[in-house]
Amino acid sequence: SQTIHQWPATLVQPVGSPLSLECTVEGTSNPNLYWYRQAAGRGLQLLFYSVGIGQISSEVPQNLSASRPQDRQFILSSKKLLLSDSGFYLCAWTMGQYPSYNSPLHFGNGTRLTVT
Amino acid sequence: AQSVTQLGSHVSVSEGALVLLRCNYSSSVPPYLFWYVQYPNQGLQLLLKYTSAATLVKGINGFEAEFKKSETSFHLTKPSAHMSDAAEYFCAVSNSEVYVGTDRGSTLGRLYFGRGTQLTVWP
């Protein structure tokens, strides 16, 4: 069966410090991968999605970037964190290759990021 | 374009009472609709999905939702609330318009979420 791992679970970082959040998926190949951010009272915001290695699409301009160095690895990064980057970050995947628009998103357990 | 509106950011019910969480969608194509549940400090878990088969969809934990095209709604219900149902619930609609790659079977499912409804269950 497929599983998705996100780490760390919680993170407290000072303003201006770098960020690296990692997500890996097991048990499937060529998944579509997503990074969402959840801020209090604002629902889920899609940040990045990827349909393959090295293929990243950004939904909104921001202080963050994403990379996909391997098929089942998705990394969210920042060179210098802002206070506004605080939130709950969720990685998710859907089936790739076949039509995935009716395939549900499978979420990781998230990373709670607090920028101080 | 697709979008979802969840009416009511907070809903409170007594244990054993009916749960009704409202969701209205907007979609330029036949929609695929989902309900997710999120417990504190966890990721989202799929409750149920509508993919153009039966209009009444049964999910986990006794929840169900009915797709009503005429009302553009996909409300979530449960006949009898349990304390363990207290969580945040998200409705989502999927975009089926985006083709990626050279294989026409390769379509990217991008879900658009509502803002969520926090369900509180009183003893």
Side-chain angles (χ1 to χ4, degrees):
Chain A
S1 63
Q2 302 91 357
T3 56
I4 179 169
H5 302 281
Q6 255 189 272
W7 66 93
T10 60
L11 190 60
V12 179
Q13 293 282 95
V15 168
S17 64
L19 172 74
S20 179
L21 302 181
E22 191 163 342
C23 170
T24 59
V25 180
E26 297 178 357
T28 187
S29 60
N30 196 30
N32 297 324
L33 296 173
Y34 307 78
W35 278 111
Y36 281 87
R37 177 168 60 198
Q38 188 176 21
R42 296 185 61 182
L44 281 87
Q45 179 186 32
L46 178 61
L47 302 177
F48 300 95
Y49 64 89
S50 170
V51 299
I53 295 175
Q55 301 180 64
I56 308 294
S57 295
S58 174
E59 283 289 292
V60 294
Q62 60 220 317
N63 185 42
L64 302 168
S65 62
S67 62
R68 186 170 176 173
Q70 299 180 42
D71 180 44
R72 291 169 289 177
Q73 184 185 28
F74 205 24
I75 297 172
L76 183 70
S77 304
S78 174
K79 293 182 179 179
K80 288 185 177 182
L81 283 169
L82 306 173
L83 285 174
S84 58
D85 292 325
S86 292
F88 192 49
Y89 289 82
L90 290 159
C91 181
W93 70 274
T94 60
M95 292 295 294
Q97 187 172 0
Y98 300 101
S100 63
Y101 47 80
N102 61 356
S103 172
L105 278 170
H106 304 277
F107 285 87
N109 284 328
T111 296
R112 175 75 59 191
L113 172 66
T114 303
V115 182
T116 61
Chain B
Q2 285 74 28
S3 67
V4 165
T5 301
Q6 290 184 243
L7 297 176
S9 58
H10 291 84
V11 171
S12 295
V13 300
S14 299
E15 192 172 21
L18 171 71
V19 176
L20 171 61
L21 305 182
R22 299 177 185 274
C23 172
N24 289 89
Y25 69 90
S26 171
S27 177
S28 56
V29 297
Y32 294 93
L33 296 159
F34 305 81
W35 274 100
Y36 284 84
V37 60
Q38 185 181 31
Y39 299 100
N41 293 313
Q42 294 186 24
L44 278 71
Q45 178 184 2
L46 180 69
L47 270 180
L48 49 83
K49 66 176 183 178
Y50 167 75
T51 56
S52 74
T55 57
L56 182 61
V57 182
K58 294 187 182 299
I60 62 172
N61 301 339
F63 283 93
E64 61 183 34
E66 186 173 7
F67 172 70
K68 292 186 177 180
K69 184 178 180 180
S70 61
E71 299 177 7
T72 62
S73 69
F74 191 56
H75 302 331
L76 182 71
T77 60
K78 182 174 181 178
S80 177
H82 191 273
M83 296 292 290
S84 61
D85 295 327
E88 190 160 20
Y89 292 80
F90 292 89
C91 184
V93 61
S94 183
N95 176 354
S96 62
E97 297 175 325
V98 179
Y99 286 90
V100 294
T102 56
D103 179 357
R104 284 184 61 82
S106 296
T107 56
L108 180 69
R110 290 161 55 179
L111 264 65
Y112 296 87
F113 286 88
R115 288 182 173 268
T117 297
Q118 182 67 47
L119 175 65
T120 300
V121 181
W122 301 104

